[in-house]
Amino acid sequence: MPSPFNLIEGDRQQKGGEKRSETAGRWQHDSMQKMLTIISNVLRGSASRHAASMVASSRSYADFTPEATFDIKKVDLHRLEEGPPLTATLTREEGLKYYRTMQTIRRMELKADQLYKQKIIRGFCHLYDGQEACAVGIEGGITLSDHLITAYRAHGYTLTRGGTVREIMAELTGRRGGIAKGKGGSMHMYTKNFYGGNGIVGAQVPLGAGVALACKYLGNDQLCVSLYGDGAANQGQIFETYNMSSLWKLPIIFICENNQYGMGTSVERSSASTEYYKRGDYIPGLRVDGMDVLCVREATKFAADHCRSGKGPILMELQTYRYHGHSMSDPGVSYRTREEIQEVRSKSDPISMLKDRMLSNNMASIEELKEIDIAVRKEIEDAAQFATTDPEPPLDDLCSHIFANDQPFEVRAATPWTKLTSTS
């Protein structure tokens, strides 16, 4: 017969077990309720976002303003009686295209900054963020059959001239899939009718005049845009090119991208005259707001019409600003303040300016522009992944592409007993 103690203890254990079972059941019930609540909230949020996305995506083209006209800043003129218009018409399709291209350039340059700091990109690297309206606006005023040559801040123009983000990023990392087969790097990229990417300060300007001479000789109604910076504006070869181009009435647009600093020297300290659009003297000139893509586009159209009509060269000064330093070796804050950079970003950013115009005139929705941003970021990340995994060009390719069309020939390498073959 069990003892009273055992009976009491057994009863206590039974009741304790029932209590624990009851507590566990209540805990499971509460946990299930919480889990169901969380799932419900997630599904409700997802459904809400999906519904918002459906609403945004279901908006037809008829819901948006197809085009709008905007007031743009008056252009300063030199030796011209009339200049570009004071208004610019923008279609919805143009606006979305400009927005996407400028965002792509911006994100591409920020990714290049990141890869450079990780020592994946090496050597010279000059970034273009802040100046996107110049490249996109110029392309909006000419055609891809026209010609363009620039200095070493060339990533943006490589993109607008037809290069891909993937090719540009791979060139920056020196890979075989780069736009110059990994042998050009940041300063030497080329596409059809785009002649670089030149590392010698100002040297691209007379080369551009040569391209313009070819256009006139061939009579193909094409022109050449020859770009340089305020730091190169005092080069003697530029003034020689002005003279020859004016004498021969070449179809060339000289464009000075004045980003306010030549390396670390402000324009006021480097130039006795900072009115670069008047530097051509006998050549007509325009001073343009280079942070407004529409202002740049209209001025470029005006300049292109001037050249195509047989009046000879014209000079444009685009007043712009670079957010990074001169190159990646320049932090960019030893000769200017962070507050100055931030003020330009907040008041004159070219992407924000276009975005505000489109939203305020119902030419796009916030959701639509966000979708573009997401797509651009993905494109950049995919390109960066390719640029870090694509193989480097083999040594056998070192001497290839010396001539455009020729039979293979041997080239002596650095050591006299080493021979490499050059193929076109």
Side-chain angles (χ1 to χ4, degrees), residues 223-245:
L223 57 84
C224 182
V225 175
S226 190
L227 294 121
Y228 57 97
D230 53 278
N234 299 317
Q235 286 270 324
Q237 58 189 324
I238 291 179
F239 292 90
E240 294 176 44
T241 307
Y242 289 163
N243 183 59
M244 295 171 68
S245 300

Side-chain angles (χ1 to χ4, degrees), residues 203-369:
Q204 72 279 3
V205 179
L207 295 179
V211 175
L213 177 61
C215 293
K216 183 171 183 178
Y217 183 81
L218 295 171
N220 53 21
D221 200 36
Q222 296 172 3
L223 57 84
C224 182
V225 175
S226 190
L227 294 121
Y228 57 97
D230 53 278
N234 299 317
Q235 286 270 324
Q237 58 189 324
I238 291 179
F239 292 90
E240 294 176 44
T241 307
Y242 289 163
N243 183 59
M244 295 171 68
S245 300
S246 186
L247 280 172
W248 297 341
K249 291 193 178 302
L250 299 183
I252 183 169
I253 306 174
F254 296 107
I255 298 184
C256 174
E257 289 183 283
N258 178 7
N259 60 23
Q260 314 306 316
Y261 297 93
M263 296 188 73
T265 306
S266 67
V267 293
E268 291 81 12
R269 292 179 58 219
S270 66
S271 299
S273 171
T274 58
E275 294 181 314
Y276 296 106
Y277 72 110
K278 295 181 179 180
R279 289 288 190 92
D281 188 15
Y282 37 79
I283 297 176
L286 308 166
R287 183 163 61 188
V288 183
D289 180 2
M291 302 299 276
D292 182 351
V293 66
L294 297 184
C295 205
V296 175
R297 186 191 70 178
E298 295 306 310
T300 305
K301 285 181 179 179
F302 177 87
D305 289 342
H306 176 94
C307 290
R308 295 192 211 279
S309 65
K311 296 178 182 177
I314 191 168
L315 200 161
M316 286 170 54
E317 175 190 344
L318 304 182
Q319 294 188 310
T320 184
Y321 198 85
R322 56 171 163 80
Y323 293 157
H324 268 84
H326 170 73
S327 69
M328 284 302 298
S329 61
D330 168 24
V333 291
S334 59
Y335 49 86
R336 59 182 183 175
T337 63
R338 296 184 188 276
E339 289 73 23
E340 177 186 309
I341 301 168
Q342 187 55 42
E343 184 178 10
V344 176
R345 280 182 177 273
S346 61
K347 294 182 179 179
S348 304
D349 184 76
I351 299 176
S352 298
M353 190 184 303
L354 177 63
K355 180 179 180 179
D356 292 344
R357 278 173 168 163
M358 295 189 70
L359 292 177
S360 61
N361 285 270
N362 192 37
M363 299 182 77
S365 66
I366 294 177
E367 293 79 13
E368 187 175 23
L369 297 182

Side-chain angles (χ1 to χ4, degrees), residues 56-344:
S57 61
S58 65
R59 292 180 67 181
S60 66
Y61 287 118
D63 295 328
F64 293 107
T65 305
E67 70 175 41
T69 301
F70 301 95
D71 293 330
I72 55 177
K73 191 179 293 184
K74 185 178 180 180
V75 171
D76 295 320
L77 306 177
H78 171 66
R79 288 187 176 270
L80 288 166
E81 293 183 2
E82 294 182 358
L86 298 178
T87 59
T89 300
L90 178 72
T91 67
R92 169 178 151 79
E93 288 71 26
E94 288 172 339
L96 292 174
K97 178 184 175 183
Y98 297 163
Y99 180 82
R100 186 185 189 99
T101 306
M102 288 198 289
Q103 276 286 29
T104 302
I105 295 172
R106 176 72 57 86
R107 291 289 168 185
M108 180 174 68
E109 298 297 61
L110 294 178
K111 176 56 70 173
D113 171 272
Q114 180 184 352
L115 294 178
Y116 196 96
K117 288 172 179 174
Q118 294 172 355
K119 297 186 178 181
I120 297 172
I121 296 174
R122 309 302 293 266
F124 292 106
C125 187
H126 306 80
L127 302 183
Y128 199 68
D129 51 319
Q131 299 182 213
E132 296 90 352
C134 296
V136 176
I138 289 169
E139 293 292 357
I142 58 175
T143 69
L144 285 175
S145 63
D146 291 316
H147 308 264
L148 190 144
I149 188 168
T150 189
Y152 36 74
R153 205 177 301 278
H155 307 162
Y157 289 103
T158 308
L159 183 74
T160 61
R161 289 268 95 188
T164 66
V165 177
R166 188 182 175 101
E167 291 172 326
I168 294 168
M169 295 301 294
E171 189 60 40
L172 288 172
T173 57
R175 306 305 172 110
R176 184 187 288 181
I179 201 160
K181 311 299 182 186
K183 296 189 286 184
S186 172
M187 300 192 293
H188 304 289
M189 301 185 186
Y190 312 92
T191 64
K192 183 176 174 60
N193 296 333
F194 175 57
Y195 308 89
N198 293 268
I200 306 300
V201 176
Q204 72 279 3
V205 179
L207 295 179
V211 175
L213 177 61
C215 293
K216 183 171 183 178
Y217 183 81
L218 295 171
N220 53 21
D221 200 36
Q222 296 172 3
L223 57 84
C224 182
V225 175
S226 190
L227 294 121
Y228 57 97
D230 53 278
N234 299 317
Q235 286 270 324
Q237 58 189 324
I238 291 179
F239 292 90
E240 294 176 44
T241 307
Y242 289 163
N243 183 59
M244 295 171 68
S245 300
S246 186
L247 280 172
W248 297 341
K249 291 193 178 302
L250 299 183
I252 183 169
I253 306 174
F254 296 107
I255 298 184
C256 174
E257 289 183 283
N258 178 7
N259 60 23
Q260 314 306 316
Y261 297 93
M263 296 188 73
T265 306
S266 67
V267 293
E268 291 81 12
R269 292 179 58 219
S270 66
S271 299
S273 171
T274 58
E275 294 181 314
Y276 296 106
Y277 72 110
K278 295 181 179 180
R279 289 288 190 92
D281 188 15
Y282 37 79
I283 297 176
L286 308 166
R287 183 163 61 188
V288 183
D289 180 2
M291 302 299 276
D292 182 351
V293 66
L294 297 184
C295 205
V296 175
R297 186 191 70 178
E298 295 306 310
T300 305
K301 285 181 179 179
F302 177 87
D305 289 342
H306 176 94
C307 290
R308 295 192 211 279
S309 65
K311 296 178 182 177
I314 191 168
L315 200 161
M316 286 170 54
E317 175 190 344
L318 304 182
Q319 294 188 310
T320 184
Y321 198 85
R322 56 171 163 80
Y323 293 157
H324 268 84
H326 170 73
S327 69
M328 284 302 298
S329 61
D330 168 24
V333 291
S334 59
Y335 49 86
R336 59 182 183 175
T337 63
R338 296 184 188 276
E339 289 73 23
E340 177 186 309
I341 301 168
Q342 187 55 42
E343 184 178 10
V344 176

Side-chain angles (χ1 to χ4, degrees), residues 407-419:
Q407 294 297 318
F409 61 96
E410 286 191 339
V411 180
R412 183 172 66 82
T415 51
W417 55 85
T418 304
K419 295 288 182 72

